[in-house]
Amino acid sequence: YQLIADMTRRAGLPMPEVAVYDSPEVNAFATGPSKSRALVAVSTGLLRSMRQDEVAGVLGHEITHIANGDMVTMTLLQGIMNAFVMFFARLVAYAVTSRGDRDDNRGGSYMMYFMVRMVLEIGLGILGSVITAWFSRQREFRADRGGAELAGRDRMIGALRRLMSNRELVDTQHQALATLKINGAKGFMMLLATHPPLEERLRRLRAAPPRPG
């Protein structure tokens, strides 16, 4: 609680709610509708497996998410993508199936419209997910840099290294919280992952020049 109070004060943010949930997973997340109504939660597994300086790195990362408005931004982006997919799929399906004399085969025309719309919604939905996931990964890199500024670069690096050594305890089953929690993927699934691989996060943080002051 004191770590979060100190870092939110340095970040110029109101004090968020603080929660600890009982779970062996090593994880933390930030959520809330605005910077003034936010929540930072950490698992008991994280508190048991990390030193205090490493916990500070994780909390700095989550507080940066609040400072950057990431929770609201990602929700709005997902909503925009969903609206685009639905509108564009219906527009294209109507344009394709409206050619010719529809009065002679209204039933067949409707079935064609339905099939084209469904195919487009699936295809555009996957494309939208790839774009949203890419945007989320960039914000994770920003949150790592912000965590390094709030908690200290060495603490943020130490937190990422500790997460790498405990990755089997990071819960990735609850997809509703996937954009809020610590997880990553490699290979083809990287395109749909909301978090970059921990190795890439660590490499970028080490390569980033320390900010003066």
Side-chain angles (χ1 to χ4, degrees):
Y1 184 93
Q2 191 58 51
L3 282 171
I4 292 175
D6 292 342
M7 282 190 276
T8 52
R9 185 165 52 249
R10 290 202 299 275
L13 294 172
M15 182 66 185
E17 292 188 57
V18 180
V20 177
Y21 64 98
D22 187 18
S23 172
E25 66 170 339
V26 177
N27 229 325
F29 64 89
T31 187
S34 67
K35 295 179 183 180
S36 60
R37 297 176 58 193
L39 164 72
V40 176
V42 297
S43 69
T44 54
L46 183 144
L47 296 176
R48 285 194 298 264
S49 65
M50 285 189 167
R51 301 193 307 265
Q52 184 170 341
D53 59 324
E54 296 165 343
V55 173
V58 172
L59 295 177
H61 174 98
E62 301 304 334
I63 290 169
T64 302
H65 275 312
I66 298 173
N68 292 341
D70 287 340
M71 299 89 69
V72 175
T73 299
M74 293 308 302
T75 300
L76 289 175
L77 179 61
Q78 186 64 64
I80 291 171
M81 284 295 175
N82 290 342
F84 170 80
V85 167
M86 294 176 64
F87 172 78
F88 195 72
R90 283 162 172 76
L91 181 65
V92 173
Y94 177 79
V96 170
T97 58
S98 63
R99 296 176 180 178
D101 187 2
R102 290 178 295 141
D103 294 334
D104 295 337
N105 189 15
R106 290 183 179 179
S109 179
Y110 176 79
M111 286 301 299
M112 180 62 70
Y113 167 83
F114 179 78
M115 292 175 62
V116 172
R117 192 192 79 189
M118 291 300 296
V119 169
L120 286 171
E121 285 186 356
I122 293 172
L124 292 173
I126 293 174
L127 178 61
S129 296
V130 170
I131 295 173
T132 303
W134 178 88
F135 197 83
S136 176
R137 292 195 298 272
Q138 304 314 304
R139 299 186 82 82
E140 288 303 315
F141 290 130
R142 287 184 59 192
D144 284 343
R145 293 194 297 270
E149 294 174 20
L150 286 175
R153 188 166 180 268
D154 291 340
R155 290 181 173 185
M156 191 66 234
I157 289 175
L160 291 175
R161 293 180 64 182
R162 181 69 67 178
L163 289 170
M164 288 173 61
S165 65
N166 290 280
R167 67 175 75 238
E168 72 279 358
L169 296 178
V170 176
D171 180 23
T172 58
Q173 296 180 359
H174 299 91
Q175 292 303 310
L177 295 176
T179 59
L180 307 177
K181 303 171 81 173
I182 303 163
N183 62 86
K186 294 182 180 180
F188 177 76
M189 292 304 297
M190 175 69 180
L191 292 174
L192 297 174
T194 58
H195 285 54
L198 289 167
E199 292 85 354
E200 177 65 12
R201 292 171 62 182
L202 185 58
R203 185 191 68 78
R204 291 205 184 192
L205 188 58
R206 282 173 167 167
R211 294 187 60 169

